[in-house]
Amino acid sequence: MGRMLEDASKSILKESGIPVPGHSVVSNSKEITEQHLKKPCVLKALVPVGKRGKAGAIKFAETVEEAQRKVNEILQMTVRNFPVEKVLIEEKVDIDEEWYVSITIDPQKQMPIIIATTEGGVEVEDLVKNAPEKVVIYHVEPFAELQPFQSKEIWSKLGVTGKPLLKATSILCKLYQVFLKYDCYILEINPLVLTKDENVVAAASVMGIDDSALYRQPELNGKVESGSERSWRPLTELEKEMVKVNDADYRGTARYTEMDGGEIGFMCGGGGGSLLSFDALVQLGAAPANYTETGGNPPEDKVAGLTKGILSKKGVKGLFVAHNITNNTQIDIMARGIVKALHEMGIDPQTFPIVVREAGVNDEEGKRIFQEAGITYFGEDLTIEEAAAEMIKKMKGVS
C-alpha cells in the first residue's frame, strides 16, 4: 500500500468536483508572497503521517512575515520520524461545524465501508466506542456506485438537513467515485467542514492507494510512494529499490526493512517463524542488517533481486535464510534465486558465511541446488534456534 501527500490528494478531490481550500506548496519561506496571504492561511507540514496538529506542525498566519516565520519553524521539525521538507499553505476556512467521513475496506466483510459523523476533529475510534449513536457505519455493495439516496440517508441519520444535506450528499457520492477510480484502500476527510455560509469543504484529506494497482494508475506516477503506509520513517534508498523489485512481478511478495548497522543479511518467510528466526539471531548476540520476508512463492528473479538488495547493504558479511517448516514455499525456486544472485554478485559461499534452514515443497531439489553451490543447508532436522547458532559459528572470524 502507498500513501499520497495531502497536496496531491486535494488536487484529485478538486478535479473530481469536491470543494477544497485553495492551496500551494513551498519548500522555503522566501517563496511566500502576498498571493498566498489574500486571506488568513493555514500552514501544514507536508508529511505522510497523521496527528500533525498534536505535533505542533499545523500553524496559522495572517501576514507574509508571520507566514514566513512559521514556515521556517515547521521546516525545522521532524514529525513522527519524518523530516519536514515542504509546507502546504491553504486558505483558512470559516468553520461553523467539523464533520468526519472516511471510506475504506472492511477486512471482515470484504466490502467498502463508509464511516461518517458530525463530530469531527476527534478520534473516530473513541467516538465509535463511547458514543456509537453519533456515528453511521454503512457498507456498500462491491462493484456498485454509491447512490445519492444512500448518501442522503447517511447524512440524514446524523441530523444534517437543508442546503448542507444536499451538498454533503453530493460530496460523499463524489468521494466514493474517487475511492473506486483510484483503487484507494483509505480515503479520509477529517475534518469535512460546514462553513458559516453553509458550504461543505474537504479541509483535510488522507488518501492511500493499493500500490499493486498502480500499473493502471499512470497519472499517479510520482505521487504515491509504494510501501509507505507500513513505514515508521521515510523509506531508505535501498528500501525503495526493493519496493521496485517487488512491484516488477505480481507473483509472490517481498518486503525489505533496513535496520541500523548489522552484519547478517536476513531472509525469512512471513509469520511467527520469521520473528522467531530474527529473535534467535539477536538473542545469540548477532546484529541482523535487515528484516526481509517473502511469501506467496515469488519467482526466481524476484528472489534473486531481493537477495542482491540484502547483500548490497554496506557492512553485510553473511546471509541467514530461514523459513518455518509448515509453509508452501517452493524451496527449489528460492534456491535458484539465491544462487543466481550470489553468482551474479561474485560472492563465494566458501568464504562468505551462508546458512539456509528451509523445508517445504521440493525441498530435496532445493537442498541439492544449495549444496552444489557450496551453501550450508539444513531442513527440519534442525530447529530455527539451532540453525541460528550455526550461522553465528560461521560468522566468527569474519573480518
Side-chain angles (χ1 to χ4, degrees):
M1 304 298 178
R3 183 68 70 86
M4 183 182 295
L5 292 177
E6 189 176 4
D7 64 314
S9 66
K10 279 188 171 166
S11 294
I12 288 175
L13 296 182
K14 183 178 179 180
E15 292 168 3
S16 303
I18 298 165
V20 298
H23 62 276
S24 59
V25 177
V26 298
S27 54
N28 66 74
S29 60
K30 294 180 181 179
E31 297 176 31
I32 301 174
T33 67
E34 293 290 348
Q35 289 295 113
H36 296 103
L37 273 299
K38 290 182 178 179
K39 295 181 179 180
C41 68
V42 184
L43 310 169
K44 300 180 179 180
L46 203 52
V47 289
V49 290
K51 303 188 186 335
R52 291 171 296 177
K54 291 183 179 180
I58 298 178
K59 300 178 183 290
F60 302 90
E62 296 188 2
T63 67
V64 171
E65 293 74 18
E66 185 182 15
Q68 290 176 335
R69 175 173 55 81
K70 291 185 175 180
V71 163
N72 282 332
E73 292 173 3
I74 294 173
L75 288 171
Q76 294 175 24
M77 298 177 68
T78 296
V79 181
R80 294 172 64 188
N81 298 315
F82 283 82
V84 180
E85 298 177 349
K86 294 182 179 181
V87 175
L88 179 66
I89 301 181
E90 294 186 334
E91 62 177 293
K92 188 177 179 182
V93 179
D94 194 10
I95 298 174
D96 187 35
E97 295 181 17
E98 293 187 0
W99 303 342
Y100 170 96
V101 64
S102 68
I103 309 169
T104 187
I105 300 295
D106 185 329
Q108 293 183 327
K109 294 191 175 182
Q110 293 293 296
M111 296 174 67
I113 181 173
I114 297 171
I115 302 172
T117 177
T118 51
E119 302 285 329
V122 298
E123 297 291 340
V124 70
E125 295 86 356
D126 295 337
L127 196 62
V128 170
K129 179 180 178 180
N130 300 323
E133 72 281 358
K134 295 182 178 180
V135 182
V136 171
I137 298 176
Y138 191 94
H139 288 87
V140 185
E141 285 298 320
F143 310 112
E145 292 283 343
L146 179 71
Q147 299 300 318
F149 77 88
Q150 295 171 308
S151 178
K152 187 175 183 180
E153 179 183 348
I154 290 170
W155 293 115
S156 294
K157 285 182 178 179
L158 292 169
V160 181
T161 60
K163 179 181 174 183
L165 175 60
L166 297 177
K167 294 195 172 185
T169 296
S170 174
I171 286 173
L172 182 51
C173 286
K174 290 175 181 176
L175 286 172
Y176 193 78
Q177 290 169 2
V178 169
F179 180 82
L180 293 182
K181 179 180 178 181
Y182 291 99
D183 296 301
C184 298
Y185 68 88
I186 179 69
L187 179 55
E188 179 184 78
I189 309 299
N190 187 22
L192 180 67
V193 166
L194 174 65
T195 67
K196 292 182 178 178
D197 56 1
E198 294 194 317
N199 285 315
V200 180
V201 179
S205 61
V206 171
M207 190 169 175
I209 307 297
D210 182 350
D211 50 18
S212 63
L214 284 176
Y215 72 93
R216 62 185 186 189
Q217 302 288 354
E219 67 273 32
L220 298 185
N221 186 37
K223 298 179 181 179
V224 178
E225 185 171 68
S226 295
S228 59
E229 93 297 339
R230 61 185 171 85
S231 181
W232 64 94
R233 50 155 173 75
L235 296 179
T236 67
E237 290 305 312
L238 189 50
E239 286 170 339
K240 291 177 182 178
E241 288 302 311
M242 293 303 96
V243 168
K244 292 178 183 177
V245 169
N246 184 53
D247 291 348
D249 193 317
Y250 70 91
R251 294 172 294 175
T253 58
R255 291 188 172 184
Y256 175 93
T257 302
E258 198 167 348
M259 303 295 169
D260 292 334
E263 295 186 337
I264 298 177
F266 177 68
M267 181 187 288
C268 61
S274 60
L275 298 175
L276 182 61
S277 302
F278 187 93
D279 289 346
L281 290 175
V282 174
Q283 288 167 6
L284 290 169
N290 63 280
Y291 179 88
T292 304
E293 64 179 25
T294 63
N297 282 311
E300 180 181 325
D301 285 344
K302 182 176 281 191
V303 175
L306 190 63
T307 304
K308 288 180 182 179
I310 292 170
L311 298 178
S312 67
K313 182 186 174 184
K314 185 177 180 180
V316 171
K317 299 176 181 178
L319 176 65
F320 183 55
V321 182
H323 280 70
N324 197 337
I325 62 173
T326 54
N327 68 85
N328 65 349
T329 301
Q330 293 180 246
I331 308 302
D332 56 330
I333 292 178
M334 293 291 296
R336 291 191 183 94
I338 291 170
V339 170
K340 178 180 180 180
L342 294 173
H343 175 74
E344 292 179 356
M345 296 181 75
I347 294 176
D348 183 0
Q350 298 300 321
T351 57
F352 188 86
I354 303 175
V355 171
V356 173
R357 192 272 189 183
E358 292 196 310
V361 180
N362 301 334
D363 53 3
E364 283 301 318
E365 175 64 8
K367 177 180 179 180
R368 181 190 66 78
I369 295 169
F370 279 125
Q371 291 183 336
E372 286 184 359
I375 295 171
T376 301
Y377 173 88
F378 299 105
E380 56 187 324
D381 49 314
L382 251 65
T383 66
I384 288 174
E385 292 87 347
E386 290 169 339
E390 291 295 323
M391 184 69 211
I392 302 305
K393 289 179 185 178
K394 276 186 169 286
M395 290 295 293
K396 289 181 178 179
V398 177
S399 58

